[in-house]
């Protein structure tokens, strides 16, 4: 068993794959990935710079937006080395422990983003349903505490995954389905009993994304009831417009996750190429489009971008 650890039966390396059968076109496929990474990095850094530079934006909504931008940067950086290595340089080998580390960070950033979106829903709930106490409820220490709670919940829930993978012997091929490491993909290669992995994976998904999405839905039901009780049509539209960016971000985050989950379980007739493409969209779409959405839909961010670039021109 060359290349395998004799005590744990783990491969020394895993082999990453991009789009099987399209290896000759990888240098062209790499171009949109480079564009996506540059867009995600520049967009999220721009949001952070604008909020940092303008003290008027040091408010709960924008502080939560900064947390989202930092998390999206982390997600991009966690996948960048292997994705660009695969498509740009045809470097497909990744060490076992490096794969575990990447898996941990990818899932952690996913779970943390779900928690941040929940915090942003709470921010909109307080702003619309209890505006007079908004500043008293969402103080800076409380905002930091909410952000820290999202990080702790996301990372601690994900912490068992590397240990659950390490206990499984791998006696099938060491070829993964993507250009990055995921728990489900690594678990698929194991020849031991994966019942514990499956049960805990389902629990982790329900405890993070499942719980957060339900609370977000309940929050918007409450917000909608409050908005509909407002007499003025113009004020109703204004109140709903403050939620538009967050609603778009929530949909961008949860729809690809649900689509990938349904495809993996019930999409046996779906072409493999489509499944791989959806998995890439699941990881890249939010990091790229979140700053775009907030730049387009949030007047203060648009003004900040204009001031930043007009200052550079002058």
């Amino acid at each position: 068993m060359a290349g395998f650890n004799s005590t744990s039966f783990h491969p020394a390396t895993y082999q990453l794959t991009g789009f099987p059968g399209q290896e000759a076109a990888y240098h062209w496929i790499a171009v949109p990935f480079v564009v996506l990474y540059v867009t995600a990095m520049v967009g999220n850094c721009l949001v952070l710079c604008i909020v940092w530079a303008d003290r008027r934006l040091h408010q709960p909504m924008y502080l939560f937006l900064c947390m989202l931008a930092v998390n999206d940067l982390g997600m991009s950086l966690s996948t960048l080395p292997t994705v660009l290595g695969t498509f740009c340089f045809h470097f497909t080998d990744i060490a076992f422990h490096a794969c575990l580390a990447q898996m941990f960070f990818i899932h952690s950033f996913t779970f943390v983003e779900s928690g941040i979106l929940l915090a942003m829903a709470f921010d909109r709930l307080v702003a619309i349903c209890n505006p007079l106490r908004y500043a008293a409820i969402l103080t800076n220490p409380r905002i930091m505490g909410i952000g820290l709670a999202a990080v702790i919940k996301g990372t601690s829930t994900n912490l068992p995954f590397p240990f659950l993978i390490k206990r499984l012997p791998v006696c099938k091929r060491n070829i993964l389905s993507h250009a990055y490491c995921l728990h489900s993909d690594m678990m698929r290669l194991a020849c031991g009993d994966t019942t514990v992995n499956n049960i805990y994976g389902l629990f982790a998904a329900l405890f993070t994304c499942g719980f957060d999405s339900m609370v977000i839905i309940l929050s918007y039901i409450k917000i909608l009831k409050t908005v509909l009780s407002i007499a003025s049509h113009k004020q109703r539209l204004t109140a709903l417009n403050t939620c538009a960016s967050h609603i778009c971000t929530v949909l961008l985050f949860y729809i690809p996750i649900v689509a990938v989950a349904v495809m993996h379980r019930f999409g046996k007739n779906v072409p493999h190429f489509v499944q791989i493409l959806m998995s890439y969209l699941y990881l890249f779409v939010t990091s790229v489009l979140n700053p775009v959405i907030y730049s387009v839909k949030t007047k203060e961010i648009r003004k900040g971008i204009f001031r930043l670039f007009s200052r550079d021109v002058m």
Side-chain angles (χ1 to χ4, degrees), residues 93-114:
D93 289 341
I94 181 172
F96 173 73
H97 287 95
C99 196
L100 287 179
Q102 185 183 53
M103 176 197 71
F104 174 80
F105 283 114
I106 289 175
H107 289 301
S108 291
F109 284 123
T110 301
F111 291 164
V112 171
E113 179 147 349
S114 179

Side-chain angles (χ1 to χ4, degrees), residues 271-306:
H272 187 55
F273 179 86
V274 175
Q275 295 184 28
I276 295 174
L277 186 61
M278 282 299 300
S279 296
Y280 284 114
L281 289 177
Y282 147 67
L283 285 184
F284 291 114
V285 68
T286 55
S287 299
V288 173
L289 293 184
N290 282 348
V292 175
I293 289 170
Y294 275 92
S295 298
V296 171
K297 297 294 293 180
T298 309
K299 182 172 64 175
E300 288 75 10
I301 298 294
R302 289 201 308 271
K303 288 181 177 178
I305 294 173
F306 178 77

Side-chain angles (χ1 to χ4, degrees), residues 39-49 68-69 72-73 287-288 290-291:
T39 305
M41 298 290 184
V42 172
N44 286 292
C45 287
L46 195 60
V47 169
L48 290 172
C49 290
L68 187 66
D72 286 340
L73 284 172
S287 299
V288 173
N290 282 348

Side-chain angles (χ1 to χ4, degrees), residues 76-292:
S76 296
L77 290 172
S78 66
T79 60
L80 184 148
T82 56
V83 171
L84 294 189
T86 298
F87 290 111
C88 293
F89 308 107
H90 294 268
F91 186 79
T92 59
D93 289 341
I94 181 172
F96 173 73
H97 287 95
C99 196
L100 287 179
Q102 185 183 53
M103 176 197 71
F104 174 80
F105 283 114
I106 289 175
H107 289 301
S108 291
F109 284 123
T110 301
F111 291 164
V112 171
E113 179 147 349
S114 179
I116 294 173
L117 291 176
L118 174 58
M120 296 174 82
F122 176 68
D123 167 75
R124 293 297 84 204
L125 177 67
V126 176
I128 293 175
C129 300
N130 201 353
L132 297 179
R133 296 196 60 216
Y134 181 70
I137 294 174
L138 287 172
T139 60
N140 284 342
R142 191 164 290 166
I143 292 169
M144 294 300 107
I146 292 172
L148 183 61
V151 172
I152 292 174
K153 178 188 173 187
T155 54
S156 61
T157 304
N158 185 52
L159 193 60
F161 281 134
F163 300 102
L164 290 174
I165 289 294
K166 284 192 72 172
R167 73 183 183 86
L168 294 174
V170 177
C171 38
K172 299 180 183 178
R173 294 190 307 166
N174 63 333
I175 301 175
L176 298 174
S177 302
H178 309 289
Y180 45 81
C181 302
L182 297 175
H183 173 257
S184 58
D185 206 11
M186 297 178 73
M187 181 180 64
R188 178 181 56 84
L189 301 179
C191 55
D193 185 6
T194 61
T195 302
V196 175
N197 293 65
N198 283 312
I199 292 175
Y200 186 77
L202 179 61
F203 163 77
L206 292 176
F207 181 65
T208 52
C209 297
F211 173 80
D212 294 343
S213 61
M214 288 303 300
V215 177
I216 289 172
I217 291 171
L218 293 175
S219 298
Y220 272 101
I221 291 174
K222 174 66 175 175
I223 288 171
L224 190 59
K225 287 181 178 178
T226 303
V227 169
L228 292 177
S229 67
I230 299 174
S232 169
H233 177 70
K234 184 178 180 180
Q235 289 180 333
R236 287 202 297 266
L237 289 178
T238 302
L240 288 175
N241 191 54
T242 64
C243 301
S245 300
H246 180 251
I247 292 173
C248 291
T249 304
V250 168
L251 293 176
L252 278 173
F253 178 77
Y254 284 107
I255 288 176
I257 288 179
V258 173
V260 170
V262 171
M263 199 173 294
H264 276 305
R265 285 163 177 78
F266 307 107
K268 294 181 179 179
N269 296 325
V270 177
H272 187 55
F273 179 86
V274 175
Q275 295 184 28
I276 295 174
L277 186 61
M278 282 299 300
S279 296
Y280 284 114
L281 289 177
Y282 147 67
L283 285 184
F284 291 114
V285 68
T286 55
S287 299
V288 173
L289 293 184
N290 282 348
V292 175

